């Protein structure tokens, strides 16, 4: 009798109550095979891949305006307020340096040059908007249903969606993927914190930010201060402890040394205490130097908070479903297959605990997840040896372990570090200081000296390191590196010639061409 009842059962979906229809084949019928919450790079990649594999897919994406009211279109952080506008503004700064170099190369350049923020910002914003539109077109072409709505979970197969006006829709799906990413954090205990902006705002400013204090020395903080300095603005970075925490600290020191020589100011070991908005509109910042316990004040046109990011999990209803979170970070605890603690619910990208907060990893993880959910693959995402670049005035790129982490894992005697200071050919005629252009290759000291870490500061660092990252996937050794013929004359070729070890104590400066 129970079996008969189970076979006849036909439920319908209405508001909060999900009911499943059972077809004659005995399979439950859902509105979609896959519902993705989050229209960033990862969510879009996952949804489009699933659709190409014959899945019926819907994507929910809604951007809550920043505290300053900044809002943007489809595409997530990378497209709108991250990688893309950041790299373009970094390029604007590099062009300013190139113009100065051009004089030494014979170009007749006016003595005074000025930068127009409005022209740059307008061009960058227009390009970003073209990407927003392009994403919508791609979803439409691939038959992915795009809903400009907020989403929260009702159960393991049901999502409740809301429009900005509060209109409610309920969607059912065989699988649900959460790819909502994160947003910048602001301090909670500083009077006047509301007068500051974040990286959610800086790329969409209509007017120049002027004299800027960047609070925080993460890669976001350094990159923003770097391009602001590069276009001629007065920029200061306030550093509570260390710069580029989690990165190789020798390389971090080279990056900040170059930035200081470049014109970026640093307030080391300092913490902000309050921000007061003056009648003129300027922001008076009071801070404490923790080394001397002395207080200081200065005025700025803009304060930019770069003190970390928080995952977008609070509005998803995860606690009601029992989706397990890391209580300290708020991120979702996931397995190697991106599964959460609740069946049929998956999460990846910045929102996943222990995952790199990088666009390419989210894109690749999303595509692989879509293939697994469609039954087309069993391949898992490999999160080891993911390369990355910090787009500071002197770029820094790396793949693998920092020297500190390699030493922690293998012991001081268990690693060999090959290193070199080199001078880019482009710097010679321009008479630019190259004292921070440096590379090092961290290897296991035993056996065939497998490479476990590679670090590079210099022009086009990301382009250089991307190629070497392939070697990591193939288990490259130090002898493989030396057996590689370099391309001359390039900065990258110095990687194939590195032969002096730190242990030797010899001068690692490259001489000759």
């Amino acid at each position: 009798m129970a079996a008969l009842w189970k076979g006849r059962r036909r439920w319908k979906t209405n508001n909060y109550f999900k009911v499943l229809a059972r077809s004659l084949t005995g399979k439950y019928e859902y509105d979609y095979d896959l519902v993705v919450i989050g229209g960033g790079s990862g969510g879009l990649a996952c949804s489009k891949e699933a659709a190409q594999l014959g899945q019926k897919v819907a994507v929910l994406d809604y951007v809550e305006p920043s505290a300053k009211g900044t809002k943007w279109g489809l595409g997530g952080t990378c497209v709108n307020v991250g990688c893309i506008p950041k790299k373009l503004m970094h390029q604007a700064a590099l062009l300013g340096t190139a113009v100065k170099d051009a004089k030494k190369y014979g170009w007749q350049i006016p003595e005074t040059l000025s930068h127009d923020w409005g022209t740059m910002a307008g061009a960058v914003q227009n390009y970003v908007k073209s990407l927003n539109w392009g994403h919508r077109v791609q979803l439409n072409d691939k038959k992915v249903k795009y809903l400009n709505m907020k989403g929260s979970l009702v159960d393991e197969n049901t999502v409740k969606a809301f429009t900005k006006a509060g209109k409610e829709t309920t969607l059912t799906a065989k699988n649900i993927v959460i790819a909502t990413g994160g947003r910048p954090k602001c301090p909670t205990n500083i009077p006047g914190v509301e007068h500051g902006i974040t990286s959610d705002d800086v790329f969409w400013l209509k007017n120049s930010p002027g004299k800027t204090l960047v609070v925080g020395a993460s890669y976001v903080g350094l990159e923003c201060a770097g391009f602001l300095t590069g276009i001629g603005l007065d920029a200061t970075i306030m550093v509570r402890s260390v710069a580029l925490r989690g990165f190789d600290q020798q390389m971090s020191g080279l990056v900040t040394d170059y930035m200081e020589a470049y014109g970026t100011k640093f307030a080391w070991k300092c913490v902000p205490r309050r921000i007061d908005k003056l009648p003129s509109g300027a922001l008076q910042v009071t801070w404490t130097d923790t080394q001397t316990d002395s207080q200081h004040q200065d005025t700025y046109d803009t304060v930019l908070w770069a003190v970390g990011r928080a995952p977008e999990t609070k509005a998803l209803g995860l606690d009601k479903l029992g989706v397990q979170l890391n209580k300290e970070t708020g991120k979702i605890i996931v397995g190697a297959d991106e599964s959460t603690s609740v069946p049929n619910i998956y999460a990846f990208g910045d929102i996943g605990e222990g995952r790199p907060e990088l666009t390419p990893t989210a894109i690749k993880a999303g595509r692989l997840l879509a293939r697994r959910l469609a039954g087309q693959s069993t391949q898992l995402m490999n999160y080891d040896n993911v390369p990355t670049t910090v787009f500071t005035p002197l770029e820094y790129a790396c793949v693998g372990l920092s020297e500190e982490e390699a030493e922690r894992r293998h012991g001081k005697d268990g690693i060999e570090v090959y290193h070199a200071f080199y001078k880019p050919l482009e710097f010679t005629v321009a008479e630019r200081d190259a004292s921070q252009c440096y590379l090092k290759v961290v290897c296991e000291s035993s056996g065939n000296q497998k490479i476990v870490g590679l670090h590079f500061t210099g022009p086009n660092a990301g382009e250089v390191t991307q190629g070497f990252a392939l070697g990591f996937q193939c288990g490259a050794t130090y002898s493989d590196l030396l057996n590689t013929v370099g391309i001359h004359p390039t900065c990258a070729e110095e990687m194939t010639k590195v032969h002096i070890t730190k242990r030797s104590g010899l001068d690692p400066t490259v001489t000759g061409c």
Side-chain angles (χ1 to χ4, degrees), residues 401 403 405-418 442-452 503:
L401 304 179
E403 185 177 347
E405 181 61 20
E407 186 174 313
R408 188 187 71 79
R409 293 191 189 186
H410 301 283
K412 195 172 185 66
D413 294 330
I415 62 171
E416 196 72 78
V417 180
Y418 297 87
V442 185
C443 305
E444 295 177 355
S445 59
S446 60
N448 59 4
Q449 291 195 299
K450 180 181 178 182
I451 302 172
V452 296
R503 198 186 309 274

Side-chain angles (χ1 to χ4, degrees), residues 7-156:
R8 289 178 177 174
R9 181 172 59 195
R10 185 171 183 82
W11 295 344
K12 294 183 179 179
T13 305
N14 184 20
N15 292 337
Y16 295 100
F17 302 97
K18 182 190 90 165
V19 210
L20 300 172
R22 182 160 245 205
S23 69
L24 295 175
T25 62
K27 294 183 179 179
Y28 289 123
E29 294 176 351
Y30 300 98
D31 298 330
Y32 297 94
D33 296 304
L34 179 66
V35 168
V36 178
I37 304 176
S41 301
L44 292 176
C46 181
S47 63
K48 289 186 286 187
E49 186 73 15
Q52 283 189 305
L53 295 172
Q55 302 279 288
K56 187 179 180 183
V57 185
V59 173
L60 279 69
D61 185 69
Y62 180 82
V63 179
E64 287 283 358
S66 73
K68 291 293 184 182
T70 308
K71 52 187 177 181
W72 52 88
L74 182 64
T77 296
C78 175
V79 167
N80 294 281
V81 289
C83 319
I84 299 301
K86 175 270 303 287
K87 179 74 181 291
L88 291 172
M89 292 192 178
H90 171 62
Q91 174 65 11
L94 293 181
L95 288 172
T97 301
V99 169
K100 295 174 185 175
D101 289 350
K103 292 182 181 180
K104 295 291 179 68
Y105 281 93
W107 288 96
Q108 301 302 305
I109 306 294
E111 287 301 318
T112 57
L113 291 171
S114 62
H115 179 270
D116 183 71
W117 174 275
T119 300
M120 176 191 70
V124 170
Q125 291 160 14
N126 285 338
Y127 177 66
V128 168
K129 289 173 184 176
S130 76
L131 295 179
N132 299 149
W133 177 249
H135 282 310
R136 296 187 67 163
V137 170
Q138 288 177 24
L139 291 180
N140 185 65
D141 288 347
K142 297 183 186 304
K143 305 296 188 289
V144 176
K145 181 69 173 178
Y146 164 58
L147 299 168
N148 184 210
M149 305 174 80
K150 307 175 192 178
S152 65
L153 303 179
V154 177
D155 60 34
E156 67 270 22

Side-chain angles (χ1 to χ4, degrees), residues 283-495:
L283 302 177
Q284 180 176 274
V285 180
T286 303
W287 70 89
T288 299
D289 182 326
T290 60
Q291 294 177 303
T292 62
D293 202 31
S294 56
Q295 287 216 341
H296 303 269
Q297 277 187 346
D298 200 355
T299 56
Y300 298 89
D301 299 307
T302 301
V303 173
L304 193 158
W305 301 112
V307 294
R309 297 177 66 82
E312 286 281 85
T313 55
K314 292 182 180 179
L316 295 173
L318 302 180
D319 52 339
K320 296 177 183 177
L321 268 68
V323 175
Q324 191 175 358
L325 304 177
N326 180 312
K327 293 182 180 179
E328 291 185 7
T329 64
K331 294 189 174 186
I332 300 173
I333 296 175
V334 291
D337 61 351
E338 324 300 350
S339 60
T340 70
S341 56
V342 175
N344 308 323
I345 298 177
Y346 298 82
F348 71 94
D350 293 8
I351 205 168
E353 179 61 33
R355 300 304 194 221
E357 294 185 2
L358 296 168
T359 296
T361 53
I363 290 172
K364 192 167 188 64
R367 287 175 177 159
L368 290 173
L369 175 59
R371 293 169 195 166
R372 293 195 301 272
L373 294 179
Q376 301 295 312
S377 173
T378 58
Q379 183 183 354
L380 299 175
M381 175 64 188
N382 177 10
Y383 287 102
D384 293 330
N385 297 323
V386 173
T388 190
T389 298
V390 183
F391 289 98
T392 36
L394 185 70
E395 296 176 8
Y396 164 42
C398 59
V399 57
L401 304 179
S402 66
E403 185 177 347
E404 296 94 333
E405 181 61 20
E407 186 174 313
R408 188 187 71 79
R409 293 191 189 186
H410 301 283
K412 195 172 185 66
D413 294 330
I415 62 171
E416 196 72 78
V417 180
Y418 297 87
H419 67 150
F421 284 97
Y422 70 98
K423 188 160 191 173
L425 187 61
E426 301 92 323
F427 282 27
T428 55
V429 171
E431 299 179 341
R432 285 173 61 183
D433 180 21
S435 56
Q436 286 86 31
C437 292
Y438 176 78
L439 61 91
K440 66 177 172 182
V441 181
V442 185
C443 305
E444 295 177 355
S445 59
S446 60
N448 59 4
Q449 291 195 299
K450 180 181 178 182
I451 302 172
V452 296
L454 186 148
H455 302 264
F456 179 95
T457 54
N460 306 302
E463 310 295 345
V464 170
T465 306
Q466 179 68 81
F468 288 106
L470 173 62
F472 274 71
Q473 300 304 320
C474 304
T477 64
Y478 176 61
S479 61
D480 291 328
L481 195 62
L482 291 189
N483 288 331
T484 300
V485 177
I487 300 172
H488 185 71
T490 64
C491 296
E493 74 172 313
E494 301 300 340
M495 200 74 77

Side-chain angles (χ1 to χ4, degrees), residues 164-365:
K164 180 181 178 181
K167 183 180 178 182
E168 182 181 318
T169 303
T170 303
L171 311 173
T172 62
K174 181 180 179 182
N175 293 299
I176 299 169
V177 168
I178 303 170
T180 49
R183 298 287 290 269
K185 293 192 293 187
C186 288
T188 57
N189 58 346
I190 298 175
V193 65
E194 69 277 6
H195 299 309
I197 65 171
T198 70
S199 58
D200 275 359
D201 307 297
V202 67
F203 303 110
W204 292 89
L205 294 176
K206 293 181 179 179
N207 299 311
S208 169
K211 181 181 178 182
T212 302
L213 173 66
V214 177
V215 182
S218 64
Y219 72 91
V220 174
L222 295 187
E223 289 175 338
C224 288
F227 72 69
L228 291 176
T229 302
I231 62 173
L233 299 180
D234 184 328
T236 300
I237 301 174
M238 186 170 288
V239 189
R240 177 177 58 87
S241 53
V242 298
L244 293 178
R245 181 180 300 280
F247 288 86
D248 187 290
Q249 284 301 292
Q250 180 193 9
M251 306 306 290
S252 171
L254 293 169
V255 168
T256 55
D257 285 350
Y258 185 91
M259 289 185 70
E260 286 190 292
Y262 186 69
T264 306
K265 301 170 187 174
F266 283 82
W268 294 100
K269 306 295 182 184
C270 292
V271 291
R273 295 304 180 193
R274 65 179 298 116
I275 300 175
D276 295 294
K277 191 164 188 177
L278 303 178
S280 64
L283 302 177
Q284 180 176 274
V285 180
T286 303
W287 70 89
T288 299
D289 182 326
T290 60
Q291 294 177 303
T292 62
D293 202 31
S294 56
Q295 287 216 341
H296 303 269
Q297 277 187 346
D298 200 355
T299 56
Y300 298 89
D301 299 307
T302 301
V303 173
L304 193 158
W305 301 112
V307 294
R309 297 177 66 82
E312 286 281 85
T313 55
K314 292 182 180 179
L316 295 173
L318 302 180
D319 52 339
K320 296 177 183 177
L321 268 68
V323 175
Q324 191 175 358
L325 304 177
N326 180 312
K327 293 182 180 179
E328 291 185 7
T329 64
K331 294 189 174 186
I332 300 173
I333 296 175
V334 291
D337 61 351
E338 324 300 350
S339 60
T340 70
S341 56
V342 175
N344 308 323
I345 298 177
Y346 298 82
F348 71 94
D350 293 8
I351 205 168
E353 179 61 33
R355 300 304 194 221
E357 294 185 2
L358 296 168
T359 296
T361 53
I363 290 172
K364 192 167 188 64

